[in-house]
Amino acid sequence: MIDVVDRIEYFAENAPDRVAFTSVDGQINYRQLWEASKDFAKKIESLRLEGKIDVKSPIAVYGHKEPQMIISFIGCALAGHPYCPLDRSMPDSRIEDILRAIGTRVWVKCENGEGKILELDPAQLDEPGDFSDDSNDVMYIIFTSGSTGKPKGVEVTKQNLGNFLEWMTGVGTPIEEKEGEVFLNQAPYSFDLSVMDTYTALASGATIASLDKGTMSNAASTMEFLKVQNVNYWISTPSFVDMMLAEKDFNSGKYPDIKVFFFCGERLTKTTASKLIKAFPHSKVINTYGPTESTVAISSVEIKNEHINEDDELPVGLIKPGTKVFLQREDGIIIDEFNQNIAEESRGREDVTPQKIDMGEILIEGNTVAKGYFKMPEKTAVAFDLIKLKNGEVHRMYHTGDLGYFKEGMLYCIGRTDLQVKVHGYRMEIGDIEANILLKENVEAVCVVPKRKDGKIRSLVAFVVAPSVSGSFDDAKDIKLHLKELLPEYMVPKKIKFIDKLPMTSNGKVDRKTLEGMA
Ligand code: AMP
């Protein structure tokens, strides 16, 4: 396992002037990162001595792409506190919910070149919880959308991160080749894809070139950023590269230094991969797969033309060492990659939709599977299941909710068993959006469905039953404004359609398929 904090210390001594992080908000080299992180850790430790925070209590770090974000993350790790990254694009009410749930009296706000430590009113906070005797040190807690309208905090330990980095630093190129190179950070820090670029870069002694929302909103300025920063390793969602592929100059002629494109977080389509291979014939295109609950990614594959020419969708790859993937079929049977039934008693899950034989829900076991959901023991017990194998051993496996199959040892991911969706790379629960629309007065019922093009979700449409309003453009706008106060902007459905009543299936459930057809 790789200890990223040790690695930063190592590069602070051996390559002190090398840039560790650069963005529109500033630049720091390895020595500055190390010194500033140690100073920050001291501040946190003194708050603990003053009795303002407890041992190992989590600390929220709010901001966007400031160097202080990274300094605060490493400072928290040095002081023995998990950090919880919160991006500025999240609405205040969501931030307040998370701060309350975390229950720690202080939080960090990064702005204007500073990481300010701010205090909260203890009366407004949930019970802080006692983490002092926890032997698994949590590195970070990343909140993801929860199906009932409350976000869940995934607790990733230092060991999880170390095991992920042990593998990831060698994917695409050996770790030695990554040293001194430039990694693109596109994802916000509240999305675990950022862990792939930021910590792989820091563990390899590379530079993080962090793209902020403002620059990203304009293709020309993004093109300029990539040129000026001389990016060598590209890490993004496929949706982001799609945006760049629309630019005629996005090719190896203009960007000869991009060696590897890493993708994760959503389906990589054949269209995107083949366009990219054409535009960058000398670069590697690597698809990786995994949920936040298993530390970013657990599989990888270099996509070549032969994959594009196969009948199947693109594979998500070979499973990394230290991890095992099993599939739980619709009948409850759990099989391994050789289609052998491995579990002694396999419990069926009602929500799995019927599938062909030898497909099933992807279950992940191994050294990057997270500790669980922060202060949610019931949800943790359901998602991180204990399964008894035929040989009597009990294994802890994470239920991804993804549907997949194996072919020649390679994993394929073909959809979901539930209502979690990815829109432009962002993970969200349809239930979360619906629960928040229902909070609006006059709304009696709602169903949110994806609108797809070429099999990929392009946007969301909300069908709303609200008999007391006329269903005008302004009524739709009102609902969107209401949602913007409660949810990140990317979760607000693009279209609101008013409907007299929701169609039902014969067994009395909302007929989502029919609504998808009407979206
Ligand atoms: P997140 O926790 O935000 O990283 O989202 C994890 C989910 O994203 C997975 O459970 C999958 O549904 C989806 N996902 C991640 N990587 C891929 C991939 N390469 N292909 C298809 N879906 C993916």
Side-chain angles (χ1 to χ4, degrees):
M1 118 169 189
I2 289 185
D3 184 330
V4 71
V5 175
D6 284 354
R7 298 289 289 165
I8 295 169
E9 183 180 20
Y10 172 85
F11 291 113
E13 277 168 20
N14 293 285
D17 299 326
R18 185 181 298 157
V19 176
F21 180 94
T22 181
S23 76
V24 283
D25 293 303
Q27 182 166 308
I28 46 170
N29 60 31
Y30 270 89
R31 182 177 32 81
Q32 289 164 324
L33 171 59
W34 182 240
E35 294 304 324
S37 302
K38 281 194 295 184
D39 288 348
F40 191 80
K42 279 193 200 119
K43 281 191 201 161
I44 301 281
E45 276 155 11
S46 58
L47 289 167
R48 205 165 62 217
L49 292 174
E50 286 166 37
K52 285 196 174 146
I53 54 172
D54 295 324
V55 175
K56 297 188 182 179
S57 57
I59 296 175
V61 179
Y62 172 90
H64 185 48
K65 297 296 176 90
E66 298 81 3
Q68 285 71 28
M69 292 288 278
I70 312 294
I71 293 167
S72 309
F73 298 165
I74 304 302
C76 284
L78 279 169
H81 290 261
Y83 68 85
C84 169
L86 303 175
D87 187 73
R88 203 170 289 135
S89 63
M90 291 163 119
D92 290 350
S93 64
R94 195 90 164 174
I95 300 278
E96 282 158 19
D97 274 356
I98 294 176
L99 290 177
R100 192 176 315 118
I102 290 176
T104 305
R105 246 173 88 183
V106 302
W107 62 299
V108 183
K109 189 174 189 181
C110 301
E111 60 183 3
N112 306 328
E114 235 193 303
K116 285 189 207 125
I117 297 179
L118 301 175
E119 281 196 40
L120 295 158
D121 174 0
Q124 310 260 305
L125 303 174
D126 290 353
E127 275 296 302
D130 180 8
F131 307 99
S132 54
D133 63 352
D134 197 336
S135 59
N136 293 319
D137 275 341
V138 175
M139 177 81 181
Y140 61 80
I141 302 175
I142 283 188
F143 277 81
T144 69
S145 169
S147 57
T148 53
K150 269 213 168 316
K152 312 177 288 223
V154 182
E155 298 171 297
V156 172
T157 66
K158 290 182 177 168
Q159 290 80 1
N160 291 152
L161 178 64
N163 292 327
F164 166 70
L165 290 175
E166 184 74 45
W167 167 70
M168 187 65 215
T169 49
V171 179
T173 53
I175 184 168
E176 304 77 42
E177 222 179 285
K178 294 185 170 91
E179 186 173 349
E181 302 262 269
V182 179
F183 280 60
L184 172 70
N185 159 257
Q186 170 256 329
Y189 281 103
S190 50
F191 178 12
D192 86 329
L193 179 57
S194 63
V195 168
M196 185 184 280
D197 45 70
T198 297
Y199 288 125
T200 307
L202 293 176
S204 315
T207 297
I208 304 152
S210 185
L211 193 53
D212 62 293
K213 215 175 162 205
T215 308
M216 220 185 309
S217 64
N218 177 311
S221 42
T222 305
M223 296 281 280
E224 179 63 17
F225 175 91
L226 297 171
K227 189 80 214 154
V228 171
Q229 298 300 339
N230 244 325
V231 166
N232 307 113
Y233 290 83
W234 175 288
I235 293 101
S236 83
T237 56
S239 294
F240 181 70
V241 94
D242 277 343
M243 227 175 74
M244 299 314 297
L245 281 166
E247 298 298 307
K248 73 170 182 359
D249 286 343
F250 188 65
N251 54 43
S252 58
K254 175 124 184 185
Y255 302 100
D257 297 326
I258 304 182
K259 283 187 182 169
V260 185
F261 287 87
F262 288 108
F263 296 107
C264 194
E266 64 177 344
R267 191 157 76 102
L268 176 66
T269 62
K270 288 187 173 180
T271 316
T272 305
S274 58
K275 275 192 201 162
L276 201 56
I277 290 173
K278 271 200 198 94
F280 292 87
H282 312 297
S283 311
K284 290 183 180 169
V285 173
I286 297 186
N287 193 16
T288 72
Y289 157 86
T292 308
E293 286 86 342
S294 189
T295 321
V296 195
I298 53 130
S299 66
S300 75
V301 54
E302 183 183 344
I303 300 295
K304 301 222 166 106
N305 279 323
E306 63 228 44
H307 296 117
I308 294 170
N309 298 333
E310 272 180 17
D311 286 341
D312 304 71
E313 289 298 326
L314 294 179
V316 295
L318 295 172
I319 309 304
K320 75 167 193 63
T323 296
K324 275 205 162 125
V325 164
F326 301 98
L327 302 172
Q328 184 161 37
R329 293 191 330 202
E330 196 212 350
D331 56 11
I333 304 256
I334 296 179
I335 56 173
D336 64 11
E337 69 215 83
F338 310 108
N339 298 327
Q340 300 294 315
N341 176 5
I342 53 115
E344 185 181 63
E345 40 161 356
S346 298
R347 264 178 277 156
R349 294 212 335 163
E350 280 175 24
D351 54 357
V352 179
T353 48
Q355 283 298 320
K356 276 195 281 174
I357 207 105
D358 297 335
M359 283 190 183
E361 183 189 4
I362 297 173
L363 309 185
I364 304 175
E365 179 198 2
N367 63 14
T368 53
V369 175
K371 200 178 139 206
Y373 297 119
F374 180 65
K375 289 200 271 184
M376 288 183 172
E378 294 86 15
K379 282 208 163 70
T380 301
V382 172
F384 299 81
D385 206 359
L386 295 176
I387 290 171
K388 196 167 177 193
L389 303 193
K390 278 187 167 167
N391 62 10
E393 288 172 11
V394 174
H395 287 221
R396 183 171 182 264
M397 298 187 193
Y398 171 66
H399 285 264
T400 60
D402 290 321
L403 274 176
Y405 64 91
F406 277 107
K407 199 170 131 185
E408 289 152 21
M410 190 77 86
L411 183 64
Y412 290 73
C413 173
I414 49 165
R416 294 285 307 172
T417 63
D418 61 10
L419 294 177
Q420 188 189 99
V421 291
K422 283 269 173 155
V423 187
H424 305 306
Y426 291 106
R427 166 172 163 179
M428 59 196 83
E429 293 284 347
I430 294 271
D432 193 358
I433 306 168
E434 291 175 347
N436 280 291
I437 295 181
L438 281 171
L439 295 177
K440 173 96 178 120
E441 75 274 12
N442 300 329
V443 172
E444 288 185 3
V446 61
C447 180
V448 174
V449 293
K451 192 174 169 77
R452 293 174 210 265
K453 204 179 150 206
D454 301 331
K456 194 170 169 178
I457 299 175
R458 301 292 161 166
S459 62
L460 296 176
V461 178
F463 287 91
V464 172
V465 180
S468 59
V469 302
S470 66
S472 65
F473 177 76
D474 282 346
D475 293 328
K477 205 166 130 194
D478 246 19
I479 292 182
K480 285 193 185 176
L481 286 174
H482 155 87
L483 276 184
K484 276 186 193 158
E485 284 181 11
L486 300 170
L487 296 175
E489 193 139 357
Y490 57 78
M491 288 177 74
V492 177
K494 197 165 164 201
K495 272 214 173 101
I496 310 282
K497 291 192 175 177
F498 290 91
I499 189 169
D500 289 343
K501 63 179 191 345
L502 298 176
M504 292 287 162
T505 63
S506 53
N507 54 16
K509 288 186 182 176
V510 175
D511 188 349
R512 291 183 181 270
K513 279 255 143 47
T514 297
L515 288 172
E516 259 198 55
M518 293 161 57

